Amino acid sequence: MILFEYMEKYDYEQLVFCQDQNSGLKAIIAIHDTTLGPALGGTRMWTYDSEEDAIEDALRLARGMTYKNAAAGLNLGGGKTVIIGDPRKDKSEELFRAFGRYIQGLNGRYITAEDVGTTVEDMDLIHQETNYVTGISPAFGSGGNPSPVTAYGVYKGMKATAKVAFGDDSLKGRVVAVQGVGNVAYHLCKYLHEEGARLIVTDINQTNVDRAVQEFGAEFVQPEKIYDVECDIFSPCALGAIVNDQTLERFKCKVISGSANNQLKEERHGVHLEELGIVYAPDYVINAGGVINVADELQGYNQERALKKVDGIYDNILRVFEIAKRDGIPSYQAADRMAEERIASVRNSRSTFLQNERNLLNLSR
């Protein structure tokens, strides 16, 4: 991996390697873009096969956060951290506090949060060394578990997607197939049930399935059968890459709209969805409720204010499809364009301001 060549290609700003011998910390902080504000993105802890894999993951995830934060309308850039280690046995107070000191040393250019392999408790340890961390315990002024807020945003985005597909945003009577009914999807199912949707669910965890069946009257199918379910809306809320060569011809839905990350295995699969007439809600736009919620902590958390911002996901989804129609492109490309246009607008206005400042300075001489 030729690092500077890769960073130049995708316009990364900074890559920070963090090592602490006493605690065993080996972490990589990637900062992609801070045009809109400080980089915000979670800390992932994972057992990578190689250091190069860890670097590549940090870079890829950081760039994704730039687009996610921009599309959500946040005044934040994109960044991400990966800690190389087994989250089941390599965690310690010393490790996370050492990492917190590295974040503090960036002086606000990067703000972290929890991610795969890390928890609220881990963020509390980081918080002992720095204030540049979100997703901490409510006792420290955070919003607590972001899953219900993420689910609320997906629900609002699903309604907007239904409006595009069916001409009406009501989900009453709609058949929604939900793949995975974990923390986020459980709360999503609750919203859907309350509106009168009919639920078909699957999960590898039978306890999650039983809860959805008992509380929401959901119908259960085996995990491998979910792609063949006839439904109005297919809602992926577990694994990524679920839209692929094997599943494309199996979908019997009009809409794909869910909380899972990286739903398209490859970009070309987004084109195929368009050709099949399936309306796809880009994942990083519809599932932004969690990051919107933790971002509100930076102003002193206010749940009412945070939820009002999450309501905006409805309009963001509609905007994606407006751009798709305007430019004749699939929705996944339109989401990227929406984010890129916002970043470019701010960057250009800043450049104009600086040029005007220089002109005034020259005139005063």
Side-chain angles (χ1 to χ4, degrees), residues 215-350:
E215 295 187 24
F216 310 128
E219 178 185 340
F220 164 67
V221 296
Q222 293 294 334
E224 66 274 11
K225 300 291 186 182
I226 193 70
Y227 300 107
D228 303 308
V229 166
E230 290 193 14
C231 57
D232 297 301
I233 300 169
F234 183 88
S235 186
C237 297
L239 301 174
I242 61 93
V243 181
N244 54 58
D245 290 337
Q246 286 70 46
T247 60
L248 272 167
E249 299 302 325
R250 295 173 62 185
F251 288 121
K252 296 178 176 64
C253 60
K254 181 65 177 177
V255 169
I256 293 180
S257 176
S259 66
N261 288 310
N262 305 314
Q263 294 171 24
L264 305 178
K265 185 172 183 179
E266 298 176 31
E267 290 188 351
R268 64 185 176 86
H269 294 126
V271 177
H272 292 325
L273 286 178
E274 185 85 2
E275 292 170 348
L276 291 169
I278 297 176
V279 180
Y280 169 62
D283 44 41
Y284 70 78
V285 180
I286 197 170
N287 68 13
V291 72
I292 293 171
N293 190 62
V294 297
D296 193 78
E297 295 176 21
L298 302 174
Q299 306 172 60
Y301 185 71
N302 181 289
Q303 186 180 54
E304 183 178 353
R305 181 180 61 205
L307 290 176
K308 187 174 181 179
K309 292 176 183 175
V310 174
D311 277 329
I313 290 175
Y314 183 100
D315 292 330
N316 290 343
I317 290 290
L318 293 182
R319 176 62 180 154
V320 165
F321 287 103
E322 287 172 4
I323 293 172
K325 183 177 180 180
R326 179 195 74 189
D327 297 349
I329 55 177
S331 59
Y332 82 92
Q333 291 181 355
D336 289 353
R337 194 158 295 180
M338 180 173 73
E340 289 163 357
E341 287 177 355
R342 181 165 180 248
I343 293 168
S345 175
V346 172
R347 185 177 288 145
N348 291 340
S349 65
R350 184 174 296 161

